[in-house]
Every structure is written in C-alpha cells, then in structure tokens.
Amino acid sequence: MTKRKAFPLRIDQKLYEVLAKWAEDELRSVNSQIEHILKEAAKKAGRLK
C-alpha cells in the first residue's frame, strides 16, 4: 500500500468548483481528482513512470 502525505491546499474558489464538477463527472472525490490530474501531468512531463 502506498503511503500518503496529507497537507493543506489553498485554491481559488472558482477553480475548486471546476474541480468538484469534474470529479463528480468522473465519480471521484475532489482529492482523488486532484491526485489523478497531478499524476497524469507528472507522467506526461517524464517525472513519474
């Protein structure tokens, strides 16, 4: 099992609303959606295999 690091995130309200809708559309929590987006970006940048 992967160890997870918790930390607070300050984010613009409008961006949060966009992420919340996106997460709902993909049946994820907002937290999971942010993690998914970040993983995909890291892979695309060649920083995560």
Side-chain angles (χ1 to χ4, degrees), residues 14-31:
K14 181 64 179 167
L15 179 56
Y16 181 86
E17 291 166 8
V18 169
L19 289 167
K21 175 65 174 121
W22 190 0
E24 182 182 322
D25 291 346
E26 296 191 6
L27 304 175
R28 292 187 178 104
S29 67
V30 173
N31 189 73

Side-chain angles (χ1 to χ4, degrees), residues 8-48:
L9 175 65
R10 291 180 187 92
I11 191 168
D12 177 77
Q13 180 65 35
K14 181 64 179 167
L15 179 56
Y16 181 86
E17 291 166 8
V18 169
L19 289 167
K21 175 65 174 121
W22 190 0
E24 182 182 322
D25 291 346
E26 296 191 6
L27 304 175
R28 292 187 178 104
S29 67
V30 173
N31 189 73
S32 292
Q33 186 68 15
I34 292 169
E35 186 174 7
H36 175 74
I37 293 165
L38 289 172
K39 280 182 182 177
E40 290 302 310
K43 286 178 188 175
K44 185 175 178 181
R47 303 205 174 247
L48 182 66

